[in-house]
Amino acid sequence: MALEPLAATSEQFVRSAVAAGMRATDALAAYRRVFREGRADDPRIALPEPAITARHDEGRTAKFTLRCADGLETESVLIPMPHGEAWSYTLCLSSQVGCAMGCTFCETAQMGLLRSLACAEIVAQWFAARHRIGLAPNNIVFMGMGEPMDNLDSVLAAIEVLCDPNGAAMAPSRIAVSTVGHLAGIARFGEFVSRPGFRRVNLAVSVNAPNDAIRSSIMPINRGAPMKLLREALLRFPMRRGGAFLVEYVLIPGVNDAPEHCDELCAWLRPLRCSLNVIPYNPRRDSPWRAPEESEISAFVERALANGQFVKRRVTRGRTVMGACGQLGNPSIRRRRFLASAPDGRPDRAAVQEQRGDGAAAFAAPMHRAAVTVEGRPT
């Protein structure tokens, strides 16, 4: 029986290893060796070498591509964070190959959804960053390809593995999961963060519009889950004391950047304990929209501040290598027939079907000031 450490917590791994004939102490040592040293010495341990097929750097930002066993590829981004003379890194993880949500401003949406990733394929992105690229992430954000709430079994399992103190030992407060507003997923994620040990895992919500008309035009999920229902779902969310939502707002010139849009958005946000993260639009391939000018970004941020809303302006990194927010995706895959996923996240090729992309806190206390953040970093 092959043992898969990237798909299991240390407790699960030891249990399986003992059943395979290993001593518990040896199994735990082997598990720690995989995560801490990046190697497996026992032939019973299945630790495939990450197939890094491409890497693109922009300064210290590194986007890398991993080939899965079936030939499909994931994209992940290591985003640098300056700390005086030193640097740390946030790892932006993908949860799916492609995405079914259909957001018109997003490169990944142009691929459609090919399949969801299994837990081990998600954790493998961390493993490749840490042990093959050699950059240990301090933060993890599920903001890469895919809608995490559409693959929640694998995402939650990956978080458990990444937080295991015998493994990657990530602090839950250093992990954030972003959603376009998947209502059932938000409710289930709330159950997860209510568990001891995971209360500090953060939730980010991609709103991107001040009203239903604009949001439905750029985010098809809003047609079945309008903003009123989204806000109600967030108000029911079991937020920890002192916690806050990160509300992401991609600023698109001529679409959602007018002064009245800012006022309307801030009014919608007022009942929520949240930080507004203004993200300058990063044009996808063949985009009908341009990136906003600095003056346009500043005007929107200043108006939000005048409304009493805590604001963070995201600093763009990786745009020239298509590694910035909303730019991940394989340009050679555009609206293929999508693969249904089996329960383990692998493609069920006997159940090929068409799917459509029209699916019906800063993580700190808000304050009345502006701040600058980089791509997706939990603080």
Side-chain angles (χ1 to χ4, degrees):
M1 177 178 68
L3 302 171
E4 297 184 80
L6 301 188
T9 63
S10 59
E11 181 181 352
Q12 294 165 342
F13 181 84
V14 169
R15 190 162 52 243
S16 297
V18 168
M22 292 180 69
R23 293 192 307 174
T25 53
D26 292 341
L28 184 58
Y31 186 86
R32 289 173 174 168
R33 194 175 302 118
V34 165
F35 282 90
R36 298 176 184 180
E37 301 176 31
R39 62 188 179 90
D41 297 333
D42 193 298
R44 289 168 289 187
I45 297 176
L47 186 62
E49 179 63 25
I52 302 176
T53 57
R55 174 175 170 175
H56 302 280
D57 294 329
E58 180 188 298
R60 293 180 181 269
T61 300
K63 181 177 81 166
F64 62 94
T65 301
L66 292 181
R67 179 177 293 123
C68 301
D70 60 2
L72 295 177
E73 293 179 327
T74 64
E75 288 188 343
S76 315
V77 186
L78 281 157
I79 306 159
M81 311 290 169
H83 296 284
E85 298 297 319
W87 292 84
S88 66
Y89 285 85
T90 287
L91 175 60
C92 182
L93 292 178
S94 292
S95 56
Q96 298 179 308
V97 181
C99 184
M101 295 296 104
C103 299
T104 58
F105 53 86
C106 179
E107 177 68 24
T108 310
Q110 310 310 303
M111 296 171 60
L113 175 65
L114 276 79
R115 70 169 174 88
S116 292
L117 297 177
C119 171
E121 293 173 316
I122 295 173
V123 178
Q125 297 169 65
W126 173 89
F127 185 88
R130 171 65 182 85
H131 293 294
R132 298 301 179 260
I133 293 177
L135 296 174
N138 297 82
N139 305 289
I140 289 176
V141 292
F142 285 83
M143 297 180 184
M145 293 195 298
E147 163 56 46
M149 302 299 183
D150 222 17
N151 185 27
L152 204 49
D153 285 342
S154 292
V155 167
L156 298 184
I159 292 173
E160 291 182 316
V161 173
L162 291 166
C163 290
D164 193 304
N166 291 303
M170 294 294 304
S173 61
R174 294 289 183 171
I175 296 177
V177 177
S178 179
T179 178
V180 296
H182 193 298
L183 301 185
I186 291 172
R188 189 174 163 210
F189 187 69
E191 295 173 359
F192 176 78
V193 301
S194 296
R195 292 170 45 189
F198 296 100
R199 290 191 173 95
R200 297 185 66 81
V201 178
N202 300 289
L203 176 62
V205 183
S206 191
V207 175
N208 306 324
N211 55 55
D212 283 324
I214 294 176
R215 196 165 193 265
S216 293
S217 71
I218 60 175
M219 299 180 69
I221 193 172
N222 195 74
R223 299 167 195 165
M227 293 180 71
K228 178 177 183 294
L229 296 183
L230 175 57
R231 187 169 63 180
E232 289 174 354
L234 295 177
L235 289 170
R236 290 192 298 268
F237 189 82
M239 180 60 67
R240 69 180 185 276
R241 179 178 296 182
F245 299 109
L246 177 67
V247 173
E248 299 162 307
Y249 195 88
V250 176
L251 195 68
I252 307 173
V255 176
N256 62 1
D257 65 336
E260 58 270 24
H261 294 155
C262 186
D263 295 342
E264 193 174 4
L265 172 69
C266 291
W268 186 85
L269 293 175
R270 201 154 288 129
L272 301 173
R273 186 178 179 84
C274 67
S275 169
L276 175 62
N277 193 198
V278 176
I279 306 171
Y281 174 60
N282 301 301
R284 62 171 173 81
R285 294 176 178 89
D286 304 318
S287 173
W289 306 297
R290 60 174 174 83
E293 301 289 341
E294 190 62 37
S295 60
E296 295 169 317
I297 302 166
S298 297
F300 195 91
V301 168
E302 292 301 322
R303 192 163 186 102
L305 285 170
N307 273 279
Q309 176 61 51
F310 177 69
V311 185
K312 284 197 170 190
R313 179 268 168 90
R314 188 176 296 185
V315 174
T316 299
R317 299 193 191 280
R319 182 182 285 171
T320 61
V321 294
M322 293 297 288
C325 180
Q327 291 187 315
L328 300 186
N330 189 331
S332 67
I333 302 172
R334 295 295 177 108
R335 292 295 169 193
R336 287 184 181 176
R337 292 181 65 85
F338 311 135
L339 298 177
S341 293
D344 64 357
R346 295 181 173 86
D348 179 0
R349 296 185 182 276
V352 176
Q353 61 181 4
E354 284 286 353
Q355 301 178 41
R356 295 174 57 204
D358 57 358
F363 305 101
M367 296 176 284
H368 300 313
R369 60 178 177 80
V372 176
T373 185
V374 295
E375 298 280 359
R377 177 190 178 188
T379 59

